[in-house]
Amino acid sequence: MQIIQTVVVKQILTKNSKQQLFNTYQSKRLQLQKECDQLQFELKRLEKTKSFSPGALKKHFEKEIQMRKEKIKLVEFQIEQLHILPLGSELNEKEVQALVEVKVGDSWDERLGQLTIIIKDGIVEEIR
């Protein structure tokens, strides 16, 4: 019988992966900043049309802008943490599902122990 089990994928931090993560965080931060700017532009444009209630309109846009600013703060925190981490650190990247074969007589605890896949520079280094 086969069952589905969650497997943690971890990435070993190398110089290349650190740079890639930094670039990813930077582009995410830039995208969020562009979205904030676009929302502020749209707010001003819609305020001039006077076809919407100014209070409700402003409240809605401010909420959206604030959500993005919070995400920017999170990305900036991730960038700070990335600079602190030493090379060789293991970072949780994601979780995937795997099929595991279970037979009569198997040790249940061993079969369902947490599986982990270790990746270094995009190559599977180890399966624990």
Side-chain angles (χ1 to χ4, degrees):
M1 168 185 212
Q2 291 185 335
I3 59 173
I4 297 175
Q5 182 179 10
T6 302
V7 178
V8 175
V9 178
K10 292 185 177 185
Q11 176 178 318
I12 294 178
L13 195 63
T14 63
K15 200 171 190 177
N16 290 339
S17 62
K18 195 171 189 175
Q19 186 62 45
Q20 286 177 336
L21 279 171
F22 179 75
N23 293 342
T24 302
Y25 293 151
Q26 283 288 73
S27 64
K28 198 181 291 186
R29 183 171 65 177
L30 280 172
Q31 179 62 34
L32 288 166
Q33 188 58 51
K34 284 180 185 177
E35 289 176 17
C36 283
D37 294 343
Q38 183 65 33
L39 285 167
Q40 288 175 340
F41 174 78
E42 286 295 319
L43 173 61
K44 288 180 180 171
R45 189 179 66 80
L46 290 173
E47 282 177 335
K48 290 179 183 177
T49 63
K50 299 193 190 300
S51 57
F52 298 100
S53 163
L57 185 69
K58 189 170 182 88
K59 185 177 178 183
H60 174 72
F61 273 87
E62 289 298 324
K63 180 181 170 194
E64 290 295 322
I65 291 169
Q66 191 58 38
M67 282 178 23
R68 282 162 179 82
K69 285 184 178 181
E70 288 298 319
K71 288 179 183 178
I72 289 172
K73 285 180 186 175
L74 176 64
V75 169
E76 287 172 347
F77 176 73
Q78 288 173 321
I79 290 172
E80 287 175 23
Q81 294 303 305
L82 183 63
H83 288 305
I84 293 171
L85 282 174
L87 297 179
S89 299
E90 290 183 2
L91 303 174
N92 283 355
E93 189 169 296
K94 58 184 162 186
E95 291 184 355
V96 294
Q97 302 295 314
L99 287 175
V100 176
E101 184 72 32
V102 178
K103 296 177 278 201
V104 175
D106 284 349
S107 171
W108 182 253
D109 292 332
E110 286 179 23
R111 274 315 218 185
L112 290 181
Q114 183 70 40
L115 285 176
T116 306
I117 297 173
I118 307 297
I119 296 175
K120 184 175 183 179
D121 288 332
I123 299 171
V124 176
E125 180 100 346
E126 179 182 356
I127 299 175
R128 298 181 192 155

